[in-house]
Amino acid sequence: MSQPEESQAEQFWEDEVVVALPAAEPEVASALRFKAIDRQQMTWAAIDVDGLIGADHLARAIWDLVERLDWSAFCACIKAREGQAGCSPYDPRLLASLWILAYSEGVSSAREMERLLQYHPAYRWLSGMAEINHHTLSDFRVQHQAALSELFAQVLAVLNQEGMIRLERMMQDGTKIQAVASADSMHREETLQRHLEAARERVRQLEQAEQSGDTQSSAGQRAAQQRAAQEKVQRMERSLQELQKVRLEESSREKKHRKDPAQSRVSESEPEVRKMKQARTGGYMAGYNLQLMTEPTTGLIVGVELVQAQADQGQLESGLQQVQQLTGVLPPQAVVDGGYLSRATVMEMDKCGVDLIAVGQLDGSMNQAQHEQRWKEKGVSEAFYPSAFIYDVDHDLYLCPADQPLQHQASKHDRPGVERHRYGASAKQCRQCPHQPQCCPVKEGKKVKGRTLIRTQNEPAVTAFAEKMQTPEAQAIYRQRKQTAEFPNLWIKEKIGLRRFRVRGLAKASCEALWACLTFDLQQWCRLRWKPDLAAKLAVA
């Protein structure tokens, strides 16, 4: 008898065989995988040299400008010619461009430039992937002083053609740059003479060793030692020559600023440096005085001169000559600070036809407080200070507070731009005066002399200058000086990094200063002209 369908279904499920599946094995963590670094392999690299830098990179602007200039002065000493044997030198345009680019990035070391040429895109673009030895770079920086000065003049001519230089007004300012020599290398004459004799003795010892057949060192080493010893002797002799110049410079100063000649010092490692006072710390360093002449419209440097003078006074005249030599134009107006101001400078500017704008105290003059302090030290009572004496123009004499006359005695023209007149009372007249102890006191045992006064009378040019500087127009022009004249000094020190020279000697340091000023002007040209023109061209394209 057959079972019902429902019972058959239940039997089906009851008879089902359940097969057990094996348990899943746990996952094992595998090591991470990266692209292999193989530093031992040799590779071929395809480099698009022109694509190493952008279209608006400073290196392109530098090359654009140097291609406009005449480089014949740099090429005069090159002997390599087409069709003749010999090694080809590097293009002076390339070496100059590399130095300008380096200074723009605060690099002043030739060895560092040699390293940058191996990997830096801008340097590789300029050089076309070439590697240049640091000796070649270093020699080029200082070997072409005359050609470099001419190159600076050409750059100014290009900037003038583009309307960036007007020279309606020139502003000048100086800054102290530290030399390679340290302050410890500066010695007095006694020490210099002792070191000179030791250097000569060293030369004699080396000559005797050479004659006796010294075999402890090679011929090359002996030659190098002799050369170094002879150079030291020459350097010490130059130091003694510079010492005489320093003493002459100090003797020309005013009496109160003169020093004992025996205390004068000169560096034995870099004889041309001078002892410069640091404005920030008040200390002293061995360095040079960098004079920069600036055009106020665009702030470009239109003149540069490295001098040994410790102060700025007397540097305006040579600064104007430098600008005229470089640009062919004598600026009709010059703006300087009080450090340049003197009656001699005022007279010279009037003679040249240059309108001088300067605020400060004329040399040889004292203000009212200084006058009073001077007479107070002499023991003069306040009631008998020179300001209490009345000048009688009609009779050309002074009346003292006791109504006694001081007659005109003599006149002097011993200082430029001023005439000094001496007035005095007789000794007898002063001895009989009851106010003598308060007016002209004398030390015990000394005789009473008549009271004297000095009246200074400026020449017309100096008087006109003093009156002009009281006007609001002249004061407004002077207020523009700081932001224009001092900015290049700050930029060259902070951005270009020229706080200390890399080379020794006035001539070589002047070359480095010129490279820094070239870099500054080119950076301003790139910012004001080249980049805006490039942006306009790309917008049209």
Coordinates of all heavy atoms in Angstrom, one line a residue, residues 166-170 329-334 353-356:
R166 N 65.9 108.5 -15.6 CA 65.7 110.0 -15.9 C 66.8 110.9 -15.5 O 67.1 111.8 -16.2 CB 64.3 110.5 -15.3 CG 63.1 109.7 -15.8 CD 61.9 110.3 -15.2 NE 60.7 109.6 -15.6 CZ 59.4 109.8 -15.2 NH1 59.3 110.8 -14.3 NH2 58.4 109.1 -15.6
L167 N 67.4 110.6 -14.3 CA 68.5 111.3 -13.8 C 68.2 112.8 -13.6 O 69.1 113.6 -13.8 CB 69.7 111.1 -14.6 CG 70.5 109.8 -14.4 CD1 71.8 109.8 -15.2 CD2 70.9 109.7 -12.9
E168 N 67.0 113.1 -13.3 CA 66.6 114.5 -12.9 C 67.1 114.8 -11.5 O 67.2 115.9 -11.1 CB 65.1 114.7 -13.1 CG 64.6 114.6 -14.5 CD 63.1 114.7 -14.6 OE1 62.5 114.8 -13.5 OE2 62.6 114.7 -15.7
R169 N 67.3 113.7 -10.8 CA 67.7 113.8 -9.4 C 68.5 112.5 -9.0 O 68.2 111.4 -9.5 CB 66.5 113.9 -8.5 CG 66.7 114.1 -7.0 CD 65.4 114.1 -6.2 NE 64.6 115.3 -6.7 CZ 63.3 115.3 -6.5 NH1 62.6 114.3 -6.0 NH2 62.7 116.4 -6.9
M170 N 69.5 112.7 -8.2 CA 70.3 111.5 -7.8 C 70.4 111.5 -6.3 O 70.5 112.6 -5.6 CB 71.7 111.6 -8.4 CG 72.6 110.4 -8.0 SD 74.4 110.8 -8.0 CE 74.5 111.6 -6.4
V329 N 75.6 111.9 -18.2 CA 74.7 112.9 -17.7 C 75.1 113.3 -16.3 O 75.3 112.4 -15.4 CB 73.2 112.5 -17.8 CG1 72.3 113.6 -17.2 CG2 72.8 112.1 -19.2
L330 N 75.2 114.6 -16.0 CA 75.4 115.1 -14.7 C 74.1 115.4 -14.1 O 73.4 116.3 -14.6 CB 76.3 116.3 -14.7 CG 76.6 117.0 -13.3 CD1 77.4 116.0 -12.5 CD2 77.3 118.3 -13.4
P331 N 73.7 114.7 -13.0 CA 72.3 115.0 -12.4 C 72.2 116.4 -12.0 O 73.1 116.9 -11.3 CB 72.3 114.0 -11.3 CG 73.2 112.9 -11.6 CD 74.3 113.6 -12.3
P332 N 71.1 117.1 -12.3 CA 71.0 118.5 -11.9 C 70.7 118.7 -10.4 O 70.9 119.8 -9.9 CB 69.8 119.0 -12.7 CG 69.0 117.8 -13.0 CD 70.0 116.7 -13.1
Q333 N 70.3 117.6 -9.7 CA 70.0 117.7 -8.3 C 70.6 116.5 -7.5 O 70.5 115.3 -8.0 CB 68.5 117.8 -8.0 CG 68.1 118.1 -6.6 CD 66.6 118.3 -6.4 OE1 65.9 117.3 -6.4 NE2 66.2 119.6 -6.3
A334 N 71.2 116.7 -6.4 CA 71.7 115.6 -5.5 C 71.1 115.7 -4.1 O 71.1 116.8 -3.5 CB 73.2 115.7 -5.5
G353 N 77.0 123.6 -10.6 CA 75.6 123.8 -11.0 C 74.6 122.7 -10.5 O 73.6 122.5 -11.2
V354 N 75.0 122.0 -9.5 CA 74.1 120.9 -9.0 C 73.4 121.5 -7.7 O 74.0 122.0 -6.8 CB 74.9 119.7 -8.6 CG1 74.1 118.6 -8.0 CG2 75.7 119.2 -9.8
D355 N 72.1 121.3 -7.8 CA 71.2 121.7 -6.6 C 71.3 120.7 -5.5 O 70.9 119.5 -5.6 CB 69.8 121.8 -7.1 CG 68.8 122.3 -6.0 OD1 69.3 122.9 -5.1 OD2 67.6 122.0 -6.1
L356 N 71.9 121.1 -4.4 CA 72.2 120.2 -3.3 C 71.0 120.3 -2.3 O 70.6 121.3 -1.9 CB 73.5 120.6 -2.6 CG 73.8 119.8 -1.3 CD1 74.1 118.3 -1.7 CD2 75.1 120.4 -0.6

